[in-house]
Amino acid sequence: MPKYVYDFTEGNKDLKDLLGGKGANLAEMTNLGLPVPPGFTITTEACRHFLTEGRLPDGLEEEVSRHLSALEAKMGRRLGQADDPLLVSVRSGARFSMPGMMETVLNIGLNDESVHGLAKQSSGNERFAWDSYRRLIQMFGKTVQGIDGELFDDALEALKAGRDDLDLEAADFQRLVETYKGIVRDQTGEDFPADPHRQMRMAVEAVFRSWNAPRAILYRRQERIPADLGTAVNVCSMVFGNCGMDSGTGVAFTRDPGTGHQGVYGDYLQNAQGEDVVAGIRNTLSLQELERIDKPVYDELMQIMATLENHYRDLCDIEFTVERGKLWMLQTRVGKRTAGAAFRIAVQLAEQGMISMDEAVTRVTGDQLAQLMFPRFAGDADAKKIAKGMNASPGAAVGKAVFSSERAVELADRGENVILVRRETNPDDLAGMIAAQGVLTSRGGKTSHAAVVARGMGKTCVCGAEELEVSIQGRSFTAPGGVVVNEGDVISIDGSTGAVYLGEVPVVDSQVVEYFEGSGDHEDELVRAVDRVMRHADGMRRLEVRANADNAEDAARARRFGAQGIGLCRTEHMFLGDRRQLVEELILAETDAERERALEALRPLQQGDFVELFREMKGLPVTIRLLDPPLHEFLPDCTDLSVKVALAGDRAEEKDLKLLAAVKRLHEQNPMLGLRGVRLGLVIPGLFAMQVRAIAEAAKAVGGTRAEIMIPLVAAVQELENVRDEARAILAETGVEALVGTMIEVPRAALTAGQIAEAAEFFSFGTNDLTQMTWGFSRDDVEAAFFSRYLELGVFGVSPFESLDRDGVGRLVRLAAEEGRRTRPGIKLGICGEHGGDPDSIHFCHETGLDYVSCSPFRIPVARLEAGRAALVCADSDTR
Ligand code: ADP
Ligand code: MG
Ligand code: MG
């Protein structure tokens, strides 16, 4: 039988999986010789057993009894003993800290008899004894028996009748105990359990059960904490901060978790217990004030904090209690901190020689860096929050609400800031999204069109704000409480929290972006820290980082941000705008001559785009993907066109009739699985040849370029061979050197990568399509339809479009990489698409031995950092 119970003297900080964070660190502090009230921890394994089997594991109760007896012997008191009671707290504590998510019950062991024993223990302090007793019933009733906490709070408020809690006397609390017992009887039909052992057992089970409380589940999902870890339970002998003004309770940090500045920081409350400090029942005192009140306790606290920081080599937060002038440590952990503080602290500790620069890099994350790169609101104290959606793309945006892409462009051209508000966005909204400061949608998840595009552009986005009733026709939306926002009204959206505000909230720019842009203030402490971390990460990483960029402007930013090439230049954007006309002619062409004319008209335009791109990239590799999307995307909408033709009746233009016929002919049931990618190249004569020629001529014009021609959607080596031969002929004719390779984005391509590598000089994994086709998901349909249900059910912990699915899609990638290399040793392997900028996916790419990741320009610093962290092996998840 496994050991289910560990005395605080038996554990240590590395046993977090088994003892939870709180238990492991209580043990660590005990072993360091710090003053921790004795106790023991029941393991997470016991919790998992309880949750899956519905009962405590065999033998657990005896094991707990043995440890309790030992604790009683050490303390010289028995649990709940009438004349001299031992009291304990029963505290939750999981592997990852989930602040306030689960339950804790203090003062277990009190009943109508032992309350007198407690008073005697504290030299007749009746007030303290009855206060402790009423707290027990209140916490026990609420957390163990599931009684609405407000019933207790209301009774307390009624009793206080406006008095401060310090003015309450023993008799008041004694009356409150009777009231509370009445509440318990009313609500449960039973008396408050007087038996101390029963109290303890019920509390332990309640803590186990609290692992699956709705708010705990929600928190875990948000923080990506696995659902099956379970919580440990700590049984800890009570010390009392509520037995007079020489007692109290507090929380403290060894450094400022908000800014990372050195120097302790904390709050203290006299004559109080447990949660009172954070609950804000009275104004707290600062640690400086504690120094004035009780110098010896303050000095000891400072010494302990220094010990802890040296020992954990990181910022620690602590909970402590003072009982009549004696200091007790009740909790410590490596503390959470803001993104800016994380960078500053990591570099400070490295400069102090406490940790190495390698370790400093593993202690910050790409997500934290991303947060620092977005503008943020200076503070929302006065702002009126009207709704909350999903925090799809971080940042802070302020502007006039507009409800169409055209209107967004129109106002932006006049120099106004706008927020584009839509139910959901589609590719036609792109111009509006670019023109807007931010995007707000009432539908769609974190991987909806709006979210993906906004993240790619580094644009603030709040999506899926379902409380909003958006009326596109009415050019307005209604928020809960009947707040109506019309076109032109100013709103502010916070892409880091999902909050939507009425009116303007002040915004500040990111100094970190200015630094990457090359204009940052290097004296600034945060900028300096980011710079140190980035330089070290760059020195350590093996993965190259490239950018997804289609135009010179993006390419220029990508280079400033440190891109080592372009990993994906999509050519379809070059077919939009004024050129639609030419594309329509191409599609409508009835003869070879007509088609060639259209292609010849397009070629110089394409060539011009490539020239700009090559110039900007100055000899770095540029991977250009030949046309990928289905043709109908370049034609007008079928319904719109039908209406136009119908309205025109007999006078309909011949061109419109032809277009409508083409739209209908090209209509596909499943366009993502239809005529697109390499299939287009094979079906439309001259299309790919035109693109290759444009690339070759541009390369020749610029000189010294490293073009890589990439064929999309290949599933069979024969497809690739056809296009490659055509491309090679043109390259030979123009005398330009370029690699010809393929995307691996169809499962069959991954499965036959060994053959495909015969014809491909490089592979770039297109993991968006590969995910879509491996799961059989149509991304645009399934996310809104059922992903939230899938997340709830735990089918996946995070959308496979956000973070690469290692088990399925990842397996195909590994297989293709291996077989591709077997055929063609040294074949260049990369990844492009959303996953290229996702931290966990980047780690996967490192582990799989790819050569580069490619991501949107704005994500490049994040990818550089994560590639460095991956190389430094960052298995330690304590930085989460
Ligand atoms: P959380 O995980 O929500 O912080 P804790 O288990 O740490 O919950 O307990 C809540 C509060 O009760 C904390 O302020 C803690 O300091 C206090 N507390 C817990 N155990 C004891 C104890 N044995 N003696 C005195 N105070 C305690
Ligand atoms: Mg705590
Ligand atoms: Mg694709």
Side-chain angles (χ1 to χ4, degrees), residues 84-193:
D84 186 16
L86 168 67
L87 303 187
V88 297
S89 59
V90 169
R91 317 168 62 187
S92 60
R95 167 74 178 84
F96 299 109
S97 107
M98 299 168 56
M101 286 304 128
M102 291 179 300
E103 311 297 6
T104 286
V105 183
L106 306 182
N107 306 332
I108 286 195
L110 281 176
N111 54 32
D112 291 352
E113 276 95 54
S114 61
V115 67
H116 297 293
L118 182 64
K120 218 167 64 193
Q121 255 174 35
S122 54
S123 21
N125 189 342
E126 299 255 339
R127 177 190 188 278
F128 151 67
W130 287 102
D131 176 40
S132 301
Y133 190 16
R134 68 90 189 172
R135 284 172 188 268
L136 168 65
I137 304 173
Q138 185 171 4
M139 271 184 270
F140 193 93
K142 190 171 153 221
T143 68
V144 179
Q145 302 182 296
I147 299 170
D148 180 358
E150 277 193 23
L151 294 174
F152 296 111
D153 296 340
D154 291 349
L156 176 59
E157 283 314 309
L159 176 83
K160 274 162 87 171
R163 284 178 292 173
D164 189 280
D165 64 314
L166 289 178
D167 296 333
L168 298 181
E169 291 166 12
D172 292 315
F173 285 124
Q174 190 169 356
R175 277 225 313 280
L176 194 58
V177 163
E178 283 315 311
T179 314
Y180 279 3
K181 285 203 284 195
I183 294 175
V184 171
R185 218 174 295 121
D186 282 353
Q187 298 294 314
T188 66
E190 278 175 52
D191 284 332
F192 175 77

Side-chain angles (χ1 to χ4, degrees), residues 601-802:
L602 274 169
R603 187 164 61 81
L605 301 175
Q606 283 250 291
Q607 194 171 317
D609 298 329
F610 296 139
V611 164
E612 281 182 35
L613 213 52
F614 287 142
R615 287 221 172 98
E616 198 57 60
M617 293 312 288
K618 303 192 171 60
L620 294 173
V622 177
T623 309
I624 297 166
R625 179 179 73 184
L626 303 188
L627 196 65
D628 184 40
L631 289 180
H632 68 80
E633 287 200 5
F634 303 102
L635 296 180
D637 177 74
C638 185
T639 322
D640 292 352
L641 197 58
S642 306
V643 171
K644 185 174 174 200
V645 166
L647 286 178
D650 294 344
R651 276 161 296 137
E653 288 174 32
E654 193 193 341
K655 179 173 157 261
D656 285 342
L657 290 170
K658 273 173 124 187
L659 260 180
L660 186 58
V663 169
K664 287 189 171 153
R665 177 159 38 82
L666 291 170
H667 173 80
E668 294 175 313
Q669 290 296 340
N670 293 303
M672 292 316 273
L673 302 177
L675 181 60
R676 51 179 286 230
V678 68
R679 303 161 195 173
L680 279 176
L682 297 177
V683 168
I684 303 186
L687 174 62
F688 278 9
M690 177 279 286
Q691 291 199 289
V692 172
R693 198 172 286 279
I695 294 169
E697 296 291 350
K700 208 153 98 182
V702 175
T705 59
R706 284 167 67 193
E708 303 180 348
I709 297 170
M710 181 155 81
I711 319 300
L713 220 76
V714 166
V717 68
Q718 294 82 356
E719 293 172 310
L720 181 61
E721 281 167 352
N722 268 290
V723 179
R724 180 207 52 188
D725 292 347
E726 192 178 23
R728 282 260 155 264
I730 296 167
L731 292 170
E733 183 195 319
T734 45
V736 168
E737 288 198 23
L739 298 183
V740 179
T742 183
M743 305 221 17
I744 301 285
E745 55 184 340
V746 178
R748 193 180 188 282
L751 295 169
T752 60
Q755 294 166 23
I756 291 178
E758 301 274 1
E761 291 174 300
F762 64 86
F763 287 170
S764 177
F765 292 95
T767 48
N768 295 346
D769 269 302
L770 193 57
T771 299
Q772 182 157 256
M773 298 201 213
T774 302
W775 281 86
F777 283 156
S778 153
R779 166 158 126 182
D780 296 335
D781 299 319
V782 296
E783 281 189 331
F786 61 79
F787 265 29
S788 64
R789 182 72 184 132
Y790 266 38
L791 289 164
E792 246 168 59
L793 290 172
V795 177
F796 31 67
V798 47
S799 156
F801 291 112
E802 257 177 71

